Amino acid sequence: MGGRVRFAGMCLGVLGAAACTAGTTYSVAEPIRPVTTIDAGWMAILPVTSEIGSQDAAPVVAEQVEAIMAERWPSVSVVRPGEVRQRLGRAGMSATLARVFADYEATGIADADDLTLLADAAGADHLLQLRVAYEESAVLREDWFDDGVDEEDRRDVLLVARLWAAGESGPVWEATSRAGSESGTFTSLPERVEMLSEVAAELLMRMPLRGR
């Protein structure tokens, strides 16, 4: 369903409006969605990657995703990002991980055998890949009450998720969650952690997962 959304060079442009709360606009899209729910026994959350300048957003996203998994799918056993990093590192699979994702970006096809090896090394049947982009900027807006121009603050977040299954040649689910917020006369920016957590929640709630 739909085209692939590239992890590399993600753009934080104009966001589609889905809901608006306190000046913040959220939207979620699912380029790849399975016909039925996905059975998962063990889920390995890969270390969250980020765009340049967004590195400090990754731990916030990882923590929120872990919390949502525990609350929404308690029957699914989760391998946390730190443990996944250690397991793949000990197994010498870091280059394989990078190659699988790079090949998919370039060709739209992942090596199914390599994905099986990665899942086995991580101790899971599914791998959850997440990438976040976070940006703060200034915007100029005409003042409603006089002839001047005000400088306001803006925050944008984009979170992309791909769910991989052992033995598959592409993700079984993919989704993007976006949020944009501007300060103004009647609104203020949400806290950074709050905004990142909300974006992660909006995305994970769409994951078509069924615990065993």
Side-chain angles (χ1 to χ4, degrees):
M1 296 176 62
R4 293 188 297 113
V5 177
R6 296 182 63 85
F7 271 63
M10 295 191 297
C11 177
L12 288 172
V14 177
L15 303 176
C20 188
T21 305
T24 301
T25 302
Y26 296 96
S27 67
V28 179
E30 296 178 88
I32 299 175
R33 185 174 179 83
V35 176
T36 61
T37 54
I38 299 167
D39 287 320
W42 282 84
M43 176 80 69
I45 303 174
L46 297 173
V48 180
T49 57
S50 60
E51 295 293 292
I52 296 175
S54 307
Q55 292 87 340
D56 60 347
V60 178
V61 171
E63 182 177 350
Q64 181 67 6
V65 169
E66 290 178 34
I68 293 172
M69 288 291 303
E71 179 179 355
R72 189 171 178 82
W73 298 286
S75 64
V76 177
S77 300
V78 173
V79 186
R80 302 173 67 180
E83 180 63 24
V84 174
R85 180 184 290 110
Q86 292 182 10
R87 291 182 182 184
L88 295 184
R90 288 195 298 265
M93 300 294 290
S94 58
T96 303
L97 181 68
R99 183 179 67 252
V100 167
F101 294 156
D103 286 350
Y104 180 74
E105 291 288 356
T107 67
I109 302 172
D111 189 303
D113 291 337
D114 280 346
L115 276 169
T116 297
L117 292 175
L118 287 166
D120 288 346
D125 46 72
H126 286 79
L127 306 172
L128 181 60
Q129 180 191 14
L130 298 151
R131 188 165 184 85
V132 62
Y134 175 85
E135 182 178 74
E136 295 187 6
S137 59
V139 294
L140 297 178
R141 184 169 55 231
E142 185 176 353
D143 194 316
W144 292 355
F145 302 105
D146 59 39
D147 295 330
V149 175
D150 291 336
E151 181 177 293
E152 304 290 354
D153 296 319
R154 180 173 180 86
R155 286 180 181 157
D156 290 295
V157 177
L158 172 60
L159 180 61
V160 181
R162 286 177 180 155
L163 182 61
W164 303 84
E168 297 290 338
S169 58
V172 294
W173 174 71
E174 180 178 304
T176 63
S177 181
R178 302 171 183 260
S181 184
E182 289 185 11
S183 62
T185 304
F186 304 107
T187 60
S188 59
L189 290 178
E191 293 295 328
R192 169 180 156 279
V193 171
E194 174 190 345
M195 191 170 177
L196 287 165
S197 297
E198 184 65 25
V199 169
E202 291 281 342
L203 185 148
L204 262 291
M205 291 304 177
R206 300 290 191 95
M207 188 161 62
L209 198 64
R210 179 175 65 245
R212 292 174 181 167

